[in-house]
Amino acid sequence: MRLFPSLAASAAPAVGPLPADPLGSPMWTYHAGKLFAGAPVVFDPAVRVDLPMLAENQHVLPVTIDARALSAVRRMVLFADLNPIPIAVEYEPLAAHAYLATRIKLDQRTPVRGAVLTADGVWHVAGGWVDAAGGGCSAPPVSRVRGDWADHLGELRGAAWPQGDATRVRIAIRHPMDTGLVENIPAYNIEEVTFAAEDGTPLARMTVHGSVSEDPVFTVLLSPAGRGPVAVNARDTGGVVVTGAVAPRSGAALAAAVRR
Amino acid sequence: MIARRGFLVGALALPFAQGFAARAEQFAGRYAPEATPIGDGIWMVRGADEALGFANGGAIANSVIMASDAGAILVDSGPSLRFGEALGRLALRLTGKPVRRVYITHLHPDHSFGSGAFPEAEVVSLPGTHRELERDGAGFSTAMYRMLSGWMAGTELVLPQGTVNDGEAQFGGRALRLLALGGHSEADLAILDSASGTLIAGDLVFHDRAPATPHARPAEWLAALDRLGAIGHRQLVPGHGPLDTGGTAIAQTRSWLTWLGAALDEAVAGGLDMTEAASLPIPSHLAGMAAARYELTRSVSHFYPGLEAALFPRIDA
């Protein structure tokens, strides 16, 4: 006979215990609960999160997540625990290496992390604290202050470089990336970027949030190295779609031009 | 150089030192700047060759004190009111007269935020520096209080009251040649003290300490170095780093800037992202400069987005 049948009946569902956060973040449990929804989580040095030695500009913190040491990566999430918009990018490296570099805004000192989902359903997490002055998300973008953001909206630049068995593609999109946290400026940001082969096959895809820096820049490693141009498609929250194509030899041309 | 109360308390409370230190609140210490005589009636006050931070109270820039019949002359007032006050006491002890003239070489707060300590002196700068401080002073103040907290007690932004321009100047019988240059910022003042043959270069010249570039205009900076190199001097006081008596600091600063420009161009053209560019190898003849990696990381942040915008081809139809 059970002494406490009610207790036994109400036992919590089988959720894997969340590992203690090596960074001691006050928001770890909250974000992990939402992001991972009970899936197994490991802190894993196989995920490299490269951060600069100092955040010189809280509006533009460069971050690289390199999870190429893991196999069968399905998703990569870049987030900063204490940002008002914690998630910056959710990346699906469809036919790409598990590598993403971009820049984010910071609103205060915060952990910055990469969370990488592998095909076995395990999230692999790494990151570090970054000390930053306040206001990265709550100060107006430079182009709003200058007043010329609309003149350059959606200008797309980029180039491609061969890198071993991959093609490194870097693109830059002119966009104010308004967070919605600045008085009288509603949220307005790039929300999706897709890289595709000439025949339209998607190679990599990402969802982008307002905590990515103004005039966002993304670096991806597409695989296998394609011979044709890579189609880039970016859509913002206002429905503006920007498209372009990165020529496979554009990086080499750039390097030659600078050397000259 | 800097007496830190935190150290003293920790040493006295030995039985609790470990547990105490782990949770100890950081208190600002007391500035104790020291002056080195570098000629007749001229002293150099050395800053720490480090990044600006709580541990050094922001005292990272060099200042110069000169004696004159009309009172002491100070070049750069330091990072905070208390540092400025300490400089004032030092100048009075060395010259027997209070500071009556303060030259601010450029806008940066490690050089310009101690001016509030000199209500009896005339604080002057180039007109461009005045404009830049009006524009950026409040932002600097926020950043300085955030990093230095207690060290900044009482510090308020004091704009220079007067402006000076390129040319010969006299103060209390001391002949100075003022050079209105730019490149490290919009306006950089360099001063040649004729009596001692000392060229006070401000942050146009860094010596054995990597140059900082938050407001730099590289081409203009290199031109300014050419002009400084053409001005005869016996010794040079850089904005950061030790006194240059061997005539090498101008060339060293030029060498860093030239390498930095080429390295960042090549990094962008080679497809590197910012974190990769900040990890580039620093050539051996420059790697020994203090704060080299730190300043390269900062410079990547200052220049990279602009270089990408300039070098990357448009790919939209």
Side-chain angles (χ1 to χ4, degrees), chain A residues 56 64 103 131 161 168 170, chain B residues 146 269 271 275 298 302 308:
Chain A
E56 169 69 2
T64 303
R103 293 148 205 183
D131 190 23
W161 296 260
R168 169 179 283 239
R170 305 197 65 225
Chain B
R146 176 181 165 273
T275 40
R298 294 182 75 203
H302 304 147
E308 287 166 337

Side-chain angles (χ1 to χ4, degrees), chain A residues 96-109:
Chain A
H97 290 277
Y99 179 98
L100 174 71
T102 188
R103 293 148 205 183
I104 63 173
K105 293 174 275 212
L106 296 180
D107 217 45
Q108 64 168 80
R109 183 171 187 266

Side-chain angles (χ1 to χ4, degrees), chain B residues 179-212:
Chain B
L179 301 150
L181 301 164
H184 172 71
S185 67
E186 183 186 320
D188 293 286
L189 175 66
I191 300 171
L192 179 70
D193 173 49
S194 307
S196 65
T198 305
L199 182 55
I200 305 160
D203 275 7
L204 287 170
V205 178
F206 284 66
H207 185 208
D208 293 342
R209 198 280 187 196

Side-chain angles (χ1 to χ4, degrees), chain A residues 50-54 56-57 60 62-64 99 101-103 109 131-134 154-159 161 168 170-172 174 217-219 232 242-247 250-251 254-255 258-259, chain B residues 51 142-143 146-147 213-214 262 264-276 278-279 291-302 304-306 308-317:
Chain A
D50 286 332
L51 299 163
M53 66 190 289
L54 81 157
E56 169 69 2
N57 181 349
V60 186
V63 192
T64 303
Y99 179 98
T102 188
R103 293 148 205 183
R109 183 171 187 266
D131 190 23
E155 285 180 8
L156 192 57
R157 290 178 173 77
W161 296 260
R168 169 179 283 239
R170 305 197 65 225
I171 60 159
R174 289 290 294 268
V217 178
F218 301 101
T219 304
V232 180
V242 192
T243 59
V246 182
S250 48
L254 196 56
V258 163
R259 270 197 302 273
Chain B
T142 305
R146 176 181 165 273
M147 279 190 283
T213 60
L264 295 188
D265 278 353
E266 281 173 30
V268 171
L272 303 190
D273 205 321
M274 286 171 72
T275 40
E276 294 166 316
S279 308
R293 180 65 59 189
Y294 170 84
E295 291 300 346
L296 170 60
T297 305
R298 294 182 75 203
S299 293
V300 167
S301 176
H302 304 147
Y304 223 70
E308 287 166 337
L311 292 174
F312 279 5
R314 284 284 288 273
I315 58 167
D316 40 347

